[in-house]
Amino acid sequence: MTLRFTVQKTASDSGARLGLLETAHGVVETPVFMPVGTQATVKTLTPHELEAMGAQIILSNTYHLYLRPGSELIKDAGGLHPFMGWQKSILTDSGGFQVFSLGKLRKITEMGVEFRSHLDGSKHFISPEKSIEIQMELGSDIAMAFDECPPYPSEYSYIKQSADLTYRWAKRCKDRHDHPYQALFGIVQGGVFPDLRRQSAEQLAELDFPGYGIGGLSVGEPKPVMYEMLEAAVPALPQDKPRYLMGVGSPDCLIEGVLRGVDMFDSVLPTRIARHGTVMTRQGNLTIRDQPFARDFEPIEAGCPCYTCRHFSRAYIRHLFKAREVLGLRLATIHNLVFLFRFMEEIREAIRQDRLGQFREQFFAEYAG
Amino acid sequence: MTLRFTVQKTASDSGARLGLLETAHGVVETPVFMPVGTQATVKTLTPHELEAMGAQIILSNTYHLYLRPGSELIKDAGGLHPFMGWQKSILTDSGGFQVFSLGKLRKITEMGVEFRSHLDGSKHFISPEKSIEIQMELGSDIAMAFDECPPYPSEYSYIKQSADLTYRWAKRCKDRHDHPYQALFGIVQGGVFPDLRRQSAEQLAELDFPGYGIGGLSVGEPKPVMYEMLEAAVPALPQDKPRYLMGVGSPDCLIEGVLRGVDMFDSVLPTRIARHGTVMTRQGNLTIRDQPFARDFEPIEAGCPCYTCRHFSRAYIRHLFKAREVLGLRLATIHNLVFLFRFMEEIREAIRQDRLGQFREQFFAEYAG
């Protein structure tokens, strides 16, 4: 099988919908947050912990895995699932975003992108076809089309050209893609220009992908601008296909994205801030390393059912961070991911009961950035 | 209750014995290897993982905890057990070894040791009494007397003086110690001089401690010299009290120690080498980071029941180390500790069946240092 997506329920007063995304590796309840496992590991966690915490699908990065350990090696291991010991669904990005983030180290042509490895400076060339070939070797459940991610801010004329290139590349990706179970998503671009977002979405929709990423957002633009771009792009995408807002993971953006019809999200945010000693709560983030927590023997968040909150105090976690102990990174990562998984479950329940608008109001009444 | 130690069986052809050590936090089967949790965490692991892996008792370091987060804070948390979430037994060292390792930063007098913190250079003074007070605040199940650990090599005359000081300090520790469940062990010193080892053991035995550490070994002397020191000290210690060889954790030394009547061991070795990408096997250590393992899709050790070997290949673990991923540290640490726990269980079973001599021969036929 490849992908099957079913919309179970649509909100009466917003674009939010409840869905089931079936891949070769299981069923994903949407809207869903996907943790990022850049180098074939969600940093600090085992795959079994992730599953027990409630992760349904994770993202892994094609650029990193292509360079190290190499996609051929992963193919020889039987693919990314057995290599990293993760039995559930995996989405791979195309490598585009990472390659474009290299700045001076890369050169874009119609054919693809030439770049130098951030690891050893070696020269590489990734075309849309090559990106698809790597992702097929990785054997993820969902592959992403190779797109250009222009920096923010960029001129209208550049974004227009870039979105056209992304469209031509999307066609080449589709032509090259041939895999027994992997599904290929197209990616909407168009910067912060509503008409370009709409046009990109319409063009990609014509190519009839089984799902659509919305890329090039959460790159520095104000949040209201991001929401406006969703409002421009989403109506142009088919109702019966999943929509994936790339690189977004803060609770406020998750809820606003869901309200505008987004089904999938990913971000390094919860895991990255955890490793810097910041934990997420419904009142906002706490810097657990800070002095006020030195003698605070309460859990990070009262009532949180995560492993960390059930067993350890803020004082202990702070001590681990001050002492630079790995366990601190683990405990903060566990809490932040469980926080987001629970948050998404609450969002799904609110859609189920058609009270997401009310949930949003309650959320923002409590939440301080 | 305080400590209860029962010798269940003694080998017919060596000093090896099988025992049960009962503390306020559970029963420990001896001979036992104790992992080290220097800063109130066995590096990279949760207490629940440790317990599931078979850890019965862990060691934590008084010097480190005194400086950070402070023993008063830990006392306010209810002691080390609730602070770190470990329900089973804990042994704390006296801080002596760490303070003496500071080199120029410390000054020894009859009263105690003045030293500067390795963290911030602040000045501190630890006397035998102070060490005991800290350990009582930590609430470990077994506290160690504050001893002087002379460097290797040292002159006979210096070692003699030092062992006498350690003896006088042991008496002061005993006088100060007063705790509802914590047991206090004396520590045998005497460098690499059999007569001084014997004398130190005899003097301490007179003080009637509930158990005895053998310290100042595994500090650079050849292994046969260490074994000779055990042969000098152990016969002078009471038969019905546990003997603890401090700082020893390589499989060959564990078996040689057990044969000479040692019941308890600790070492940072398995956890430290794990974090540097070295894993333990019955054939000897493997540097899992090395190139030959890049495409080795077998587990670290065939048949090993540890979490790591059940789920991950050498190639994946190598990848994690090359990519500097925390999960690599965890997986190697898990394997090495389970390796030692299983090794000790095999040793206990061999004593039970009175075939430890044979087990030793088989072990050394396979093992390449």
Side-chain angles (χ1 to χ4, degrees), chain A residues 39-41 43-44 46 48-49 68-69 73 76-77 83-84 294-295 307 311-312 316 319 322-323 325 330, chain B residues 39-41 43-44 46 48-49 68-69 73 76 83-84 294-295 307 311-312 316 319 322-323 325 330:
Chain A
Q39 304 190 107
T41 164
K43 288 191 193 301
T44 81
T46 68
H48 301 83
E49 285 170 332
R68 184 174 60 194
L73 187 152
D76 290 350
F83 181 62
M84 67 179 289
R295 285 180 168 272
Y307 174 75
H311 295 288
F312 304 97
Y316 181 63
H319 162 66
K322 298 304 280 185
E325 284 285 354
R330 288 182 61 187
Chain B
Q39 305 191 105
T41 163
K43 287 190 193 302
T44 83
T46 68
H48 301 84
E49 284 170 333
R68 185 175 59 195
L73 187 152
D76 290 349
F83 181 62
M84 67 180 289
R295 287 181 166 271
Y307 174 75
H311 295 287
F312 304 97
Y316 181 63
H319 162 66
K322 296 304 280 185
E325 284 285 355
R330 289 182 61 185

Side-chain angles (χ1 to χ4, degrees), chain B residues 81-344:
Chain B
H81 291 87
F83 181 62
M84 67 180 289
W86 173 249
Q87 316 267 356
K88 298 190 146 194
S89 304
I90 301 176
L91 181 149
T92 42
D93 68 1
S94 68
F97 180 76
Q98 265 84 17
V99 167
F100 292 107
S101 305
L102 292 174
K104 278 190 210 159
L105 297 172
R106 47 83 178 159
K107 202 178 102 189
I108 310 168
T109 65
E110 183 71 29
M111 275 311 293
V113 185
E114 189 181 275
F115 64 95
R116 287 188 180 275
S117 159
H118 73 288
L119 297 176
D120 61 6
S122 56
K123 222 182 239 187
H124 299 266
F125 182 78
I126 292 191
S127 62
E129 291 79 9
K130 177 75 183 168
S131 167
I132 295 304
E133 285 156 15
I134 298 168
Q135 293 182 76
M136 290 194 296
E137 286 187 323
L138 297 176
S140 54
D141 298 283
I142 300 173
M144 300 301 296
F146 192 68
D147 59 335
E148 192 197 344
C149 302
Y152 174 83
S154 292
E155 294 292 320
Y156 184 92
S157 58
Y158 178 73
I159 294 289
K160 184 167 167 48
Q161 277 179 27
S162 167
D164 287 343
L165 181 65
T166 286
Y167 170 65
R168 293 192 298 276
W169 283 0
K171 281 197 282 193
R172 285 167 55 190
C173 286
K174 199 172 179 229
D175 288 344
R176 180 65 189 87
H177 190 251
D178 174 25
H179 192 278
Y181 65 77
Q182 186 180 67
L184 173 65
F185 282 21
I187 300 181
V188 175
Q189 289 288 348
V192 293
F193 306 105
D195 63 318
L196 296 183
R197 283 280 166 189
R198 191 174 314 113
Q199 183 186 312
S200 173
E202 283 166 357
Q203 288 178 328
L204 284 156
E206 273 170 33
L207 296 182
D208 194 24
F209 285 101
Y212 297 87
I214 301 168
L217 291 174
S218 197
V219 291
E221 80 286 359
K223 287 176 179 181
V225 172
M226 178 170 84
Y227 304 149
E228 195 192 341
M229 294 308 111
L230 292 178
E231 287 159 18
V234 167
L237 294 173
Q239 284 291 329
D240 60 346
K241 299 288 163 61
R243 304 150 186 163
Y244 158 33
L245 177 53
M246 304 176 78
V248 166
S250 71
D252 51 339
C253 295
L254 292 174
I255 197 162
E256 296 293 354
V258 169
L259 282 161
R260 288 162 178 84
V262 175
D263 307 296
M264 304 163 70
F265 302 86
D266 83 287
S267 173
V268 295
L269 179 86
T271 44
R272 179 172 290 166
I273 66 175
R275 295 195 307 281
H276 290 96
T278 298
V279 292
M280 302 171 92
T281 81
R282 283 297 272 271
Q283 283 74 46
N285 294 345
L286 297 180
T287 308
I288 200 75
R289 299 179 58 105
D290 285 353
Q291 177 59 30
F293 301 113
R295 287 181 166 271
D296 186 336
F297 298 118
E298 296 301 311
I300 292 173
E301 214 175 8
C304 173
C306 85
Y307 174 75
T308 303
C309 288
R310 277 185 291 121
H311 295 287
F312 304 97
S313 65
R314 293 168 167 186
Y316 181 63
I317 299 164
R318 174 180 190 267
H319 162 66
L320 294 175
F321 272 97
K322 296 304 280 185
R324 300 173 178 276
E325 284 285 355
V326 161
L327 184 57
L329 313 180
R330 289 182 61 185
L331 295 181
T333 300
I334 288 171
H335 173 79
N336 282 359
L337 284 183
V338 169
F339 174 86
L340 282 188
F341 295 150
R342 291 173 70 210
F343 186 67
M344 296 313 286

Side-chain angles (χ1 to χ4, degrees), chain A residues 17-267:
Chain A
R17 66 246 195 106
L18 191 71
L20 288 180
L21 184 69
E22 293 174 69
T23 78
H25 289 87
V27 179
V28 175
E29 296 180 82
T30 64
V32 66
F33 175 78
M34 305 183 285
V36 178
T38 295
Q39 304 190 107
T41 164
V42 174
K43 288 191 193 301
T44 81
L45 302 181
T46 68
H48 301 83
E49 285 170 332
L50 264 179
E51 188 169 345
M53 285 157 60
Q56 309 185 71
I57 174 171
I58 63 170
L59 181 145
S60 207
N61 291 112
T62 290
Y63 167 79
H64 290 86
L65 296 177
Y66 161 73
L67 291 180
R68 184 174 60 194
S71 48
E72 278 175 52
L73 187 152
I74 291 178
K75 186 188 177 190
D76 290 350
L80 196 46
H81 291 87
F83 181 62
M84 67 179 289
W86 172 249
Q87 316 267 356
K88 297 191 150 194
S89 304
I90 301 176
L91 181 149
T92 43
D93 67 0
S94 67
F97 180 76
Q98 266 83 18
V99 166
F100 291 108
S101 306
L102 292 173
K104 278 191 209 157
L105 295 172
R106 48 82 177 160
K107 203 178 101 191
I108 310 167
T109 63
E110 183 70 30
M111 276 310 294
V113 185
E114 191 181 274
F115 64 95
R116 286 187 181 278
S117 159
H118 73 288
L119 297 175
D120 61 5
S122 56
K123 223 183 238 184
H124 298 267
F125 182 77
I126 292 191
S127 60
E129 291 80 8
K130 178 73 183 171
S131 167
I132 295 304
E133 284 156 15
I134 297 168
Q135 293 183 76
M136 290 194 296
E137 286 187 324
L138 296 176
S140 53
D141 297 284
I142 300 174
M144 299 303 294
F146 191 69
D147 60 334
E148 193 197 343
C149 302
Y152 174 82
S154 292
E155 294 293 319
Y156 184 91
S157 59
Y158 178 72
I159 294 288
K160 184 169 166 49
Q161 276 178 28
S162 168
D164 287 343
L165 181 66
T166 286
Y167 170 64
R168 292 191 299 276
W169 283 1
K171 282 197 283 193
R172 284 167 56 189
C173 287
K174 202 176 175 220
D175 288 344
R176 181 66 190 86
H177 191 252
D178 174 25
H179 192 279
Y181 66 77
Q182 187 180 67
L184 174 64
F185 281 21
I187 299 182
V188 174
Q189 288 288 349
V192 293
F193 307 105
D195 63 318
L196 296 183
R197 283 279 165 191
R198 192 175 313 114
Q199 182 185 312
S200 173
E202 284 167 357
Q203 289 178 328
L204 284 156
E206 275 170 34
L207 296 182
D208 193 25
F209 285 102
Y212 296 87
I214 302 168
L217 291 174
S218 197
V219 291
E221 79 286 358
K223 286 176 179 180
V225 172
M226 178 170 84
Y227 304 150
E228 193 192 342
M229 295 307 110
L230 293 178
E231 287 160 17
V234 167
L237 294 173
Q239 285 290 330
D240 60 345
K241 299 290 163 59
R243 303 151 187 163
Y244 157 33
L245 177 54
M246 305 176 78
V248 166
S250 71
D252 51 339
C253 295
L254 292 174
I255 197 162
E256 296 293 354
V258 168
L259 283 161
R260 288 162 179 83
V262 175
D263 307 294
M264 304 163 69
F265 303 86
D266 83 286
S267 174

